[in-house]
Amino acid sequence: GSLDNGLLARYDFEAINGGVFTDKSGNNRDSTAHGATGVDSLGMVSRAAKLGGSGYLSAPSMLHNLPDHSQSFWICPEKDSIQNSNGIYRTIHATSAISSGISQSRFLGVRKFNGNEIWFLGDYRWDYNSGSPTSSFIGLNWTMPLGSSDSGKWHYFATVQTGGTAKVYVDGVEVASGALAAIPPPASANASTSFTVGRSFPASAAT
């Protein structure tokens, strides 16, 4: 069948108009640019969104409680950007929900640790209702040699969620697979939800 069957959103980043990248799927999930964000003419296929230090993208949430879905994208971390990350996760993309006292996010991120790239796909939850804030990470971790992804070259990433299992592919090679529940629904009906690129939560510091 057509690759567009069941498509939730598609961005080609050919142009930014009024601070917005148009959703080319026709589902009106346009992506809003924040901070140092623009268009780079040297994308992998054609053009690309370029995120500066404070730049990130946000779009309407679309993956909560969806047991089967996939995401694919080309990324080009600047040379040595992971090597210089000082052990802090840099978020590639995230689906988040923020409600009173609880922030939760399913994100793909990377950090430097012990001379390697440590990648993570899973859930981060921050709960500050109990007096002392608590946080937790649940998901998949895998290791790549430092410099694998921040060589200044383009890499193709794909994440696939099927029921309670997730798989991650980099340049067509499976790099991680394991149990991971579908993205849970927001903790409350009035939660603020979003899909972001470059940040774990819209209100968080750039990562």
Side-chain angles (χ1 to χ4, degrees):
S2 170
L3 292 176
D4 289 340
N5 288 343
L7 189 64
L8 297 177
R10 179 171 64 86
Y11 309 101
D12 61 14
F13 303 115
E14 285 293 309
I16 184 170
N17 297 300
V20 171
F21 290 104
T22 301
D23 172 16
K24 296 303 180 70
S25 74
N27 292 321
N28 298 316
R29 293 187 172 99
D30 295 343
S31 178
T32 301
H34 306 266
T37 302
V39 175
D40 193 325
S41 61
L42 300 177
M44 178 61 194
V45 178
S46 181
R47 296 183 178 183
K50 184 176 179 64
L51 307 182
S54 63
Y56 73 99
L57 306 175
S58 66
S61 175
M62 59 193 90
L63 299 177
H64 282 106
N65 212 28
L66 189 65
D68 301 324
H69 66 267
S70 63
Q71 301 173 71
S72 60
F73 46 92
W74 288 96
I75 64 170
C76 180
E78 291 186 349
K79 186 171 177 59
D80 296 331
S81 59
I82 298 171
Q83 181 170 311
N84 297 327
S85 64
N86 297 319
I88 300 173
Y89 271 107
R90 291 175 175 253
T91 301
I92 308 302
H93 65 69
T95 294
S96 63
I98 302 173
S99 57
S100 179
I102 298 177
S103 299
Q104 58 193 52
S105 175
R106 167 69 56 87
F107 80 95
L108 173 68
V110 60
R111 66 188 177 108
K112 181 187 75 172
F113 186 75
N114 286 344
N116 292 300
E117 296 177 9
I118 306 298
W119 286 81
F120 174 82
L121 174 68
D123 296 320
Y124 172 68
R125 181 182 172 93
W126 179 259
D127 187 340
Y128 40 96
N129 283 321
S130 59
S132 58
T134 59
S135 62
S136 62
F137 286 91
I138 300 175
L140 310 180
N141 288 279
W142 67 97
T143 301
M144 297 172 67
L146 193 63
S148 297
S149 302
D150 62 351
S151 60
K153 298 180 180 179
W154 287 93
H155 297 278
Y156 188 69
F157 279 71
T159 61
V160 180
Q161 179 82 39
T162 306
T165 301
K167 294 184 178 183
V168 183
Y169 300 85
V170 178
D171 296 330
V173 177
E174 182 181 311
V175 295
S177 177
L180 187 63
I183 300 173
S188 68
N190 62 352
S192 173
T193 63
S194 64
F195 175 80
T196 50
V197 175
R199 284 195 178 190
S200 301
F201 302 98
S204 71
T207 57

